[in-house]
Amino acid sequence: MAEKRDRWDSRAGFVLAAIGSAVGLGNVWRFPYICYKNGGGAFLIPYFVALLTAGIPLLILEYALGHKMQAGAPKSFSMISKKSEYVGWWAVFAGFSIVTYYAVIMAWCFAYLIYSLKLTWGTDAEHFFINTFLQRSSGPGELGFIRWPVLLGLAATWISILLIIHKGVKSVGKVVLVTVPLPVLLLIIMVIRGVTLPGAVEGLRYYLTPNFEALTDPNVWLAAYGQIFFTLTIGFGVMIAYASYLPKRSDISNNAFITGLVNCGTSFLAGFAVFSTLGYLAHVTGKGVEEVVSSGLSLAFITYPTMIRLLPFAAPIFGIIFFLMLLTLGIDSAFSLVEAAVAAGQDRWKVSRKAINLFTCGIAFVLGLIFCTKAGLYWLDIVDHFINNFGLVLIGLFECLAIGYVFGAKKMRDYINSVSEIKLGPWWDWLIRVIVPIILVITVVMSTVNLLRVPYENYPQWALLIGGWGVALLILALALLANRRWLPLSILLCVVCLVVLGTLTSGAVAMAVFGCLVLYGGLLLCLRRTLRKRDIDEWED
Ligand code: PHE
């Protein structure tokens, strides 16, 4: 390679960028709720176990892979074995599809930042969010027009992302000096405000009172592992890409410990902000905390706005602080996912960074338009649910197998130890080769069973088929295509055809088409091979 690879300006630049990627909206709106639901304070035990036995070891693996190969995810995997390149593409495409809607959530935050000035949502925040702001249609089939406030916010988000990644890690390294500490500072202000409100103690009791019995429930452990994979942004090629811009002699394992601990520390802190204010909301409205508790979008855009309006003084200021915090929390996760795609593109095509930046952001913007329509909320919910359930867990599994068995866990560990401040023992090999894959397989099986058993949120089957299974399988198909892996691709497409036909027509038609595809399609493939010139030459000899 003639061209010199970009480099982080400093170790802090890299570590902050990785922390920025890991610390996102999930830390505020997912962790506190999961903790409350799964045993309160007792949940910290499985959570820490998951962090140490799966989160940090996988983070070390991704850092090590990017650092050793000095390339984005697809090329890094192809350097282990040409056949495994698709794992990298899979990760990148999964991350890319997430950022198409993650940016739309950022757009909502932009709008709400402005609404905070006058507390525009009024007394009924739910009605405002659903009916006035999103003007949600009656179902995913009724797209309706694009909501222009969302579109404006989306444009603002993508322009910000373009400007931030303009010069790659050189500019990213500077931006994270602001976008990582600032939300933490704002979070601390929210915690101080929260715990000084009446009812806060009651809220915190809900968050942290341990229920040790919960530890005997396997689902609680599963929730802990699920949350750890999600929160560290593992399995999207981000950490591989970021580590590939590290100079040859730089630490790996200590950086992974720092990233993991700061990320989980932020989640823990966010719980204080969220539950103290939930306690206040319950106190003011005369309800129980369990009645006002919520997570995800409804926590950010309904529960919090409701609470902010009820604050005794300076309510608009706290509105601004809250939404500015969400924006700065989310933006560095969003551009990290874009960076993973850009790094992959740069390895593959010799085009300028500017062109790839524009191309990636442009496509993501256009794809995001669907989430700006009046049915956007439905589609966002469906896509989000499926990708997060499948993407990262399956990709994490393949990563472990590729490094653990094809490349060799011991070989990678020796490499890590040769540069790192914390030396890893053989325990790491065990985790990567055996323990983590077993946990990941259990997680995948459990979530697939769940997805199949009950239609998610009672959405119509066709919508789940397109936005859920369709998108998840399309990502895998595109990854196989990028790696020119025809056999698995054909098998995948056959299964997809079968499922689609089976749902839309009768079982008999589906089986007829399936039989034709396998038998005659297979026959065609074999016949094609007989026509290869080499074979004919050999026969003539
Ligand atoms: N890990 C971050 C979070 O918890 C951001 C993120 C979410 C990144 C989902 C990728 C996928 O919000």
Side-chain angles (χ1 to χ4, degrees), residues 402-470:
I403 301 280
Y405 295 92
V406 185
F407 185 83
K410 165 100 175 53
K411 194 166 136 201
M412 192 55 109
R413 179 161 59 89
D414 288 342
Y415 173 73
I416 297 167
N417 285 343
S418 73
V419 290
S420 292
E421 287 155 9
I422 297 180
K423 307 286 178 220
L424 309 177
W427 54 265
W428 188 79
D429 306 4
W430 274 96
L431 287 175
I432 293 301
R433 286 165 66 97
V434 186
I435 312 287
V436 181
I438 291 178
I439 297 165
L440 288 168
V441 167
I442 297 176
T443 316
V444 168
V445 172
M446 299 273 279
S447 41
T448 314
V449 169
N450 273 338
L451 286 176
L452 287 171
R453 224 183 31 195
V454 266
Y456 176 60
E457 294 281 339
N458 278 322
Y459 285 116
Q461 268 303 341
W462 66 268
L464 292 179
L465 211 61
I466 296 176
W469 299 104

Side-chain angles (χ1 to χ4, degrees), residues 153-167:
L154 190 65
T157 307
W158 279 112
I159 292 171
S160 320
I161 293 179
L162 254 181
L163 292 176
I164 293 171
I165 61 168
H166 167 63
K167 285 195 183 147

Side-chain angles (χ1 to χ4, degrees), residues 21-27 98 102 230-233 236 333 337 388:
S21 174
V23 177
L25 301 173
N27 297 60
I98 288 183
Y102 212 80
F230 175 85
T231 192
L232 293 179
T233 320
F236 298 112
S333 302
L337 295 170
N388 281 321

Side-chain angles (χ1 to χ4, degrees), residues 48-63 228-229 232 234 252-262 264 422 424 427-428 431-432 436:
F48 292 155
V49 171
L51 174 68
L52 294 175
T53 58
I56 291 178
L58 265 177
L59 203 53
I60 294 177
L61 181 153
E62 289 210 349
Y63 282 176
I228 281 293
F229 294 131
L232 293 179
I234 294 169
I252 292 174
S253 57
N254 202 9
N255 284 344
F257 273 93
I258 295 171
T259 314
L261 292 172
V262 172
C264 296
I422 297 180
L424 309 177
W427 54 265
W428 188 79
L431 287 175
I432 293 301
V436 181

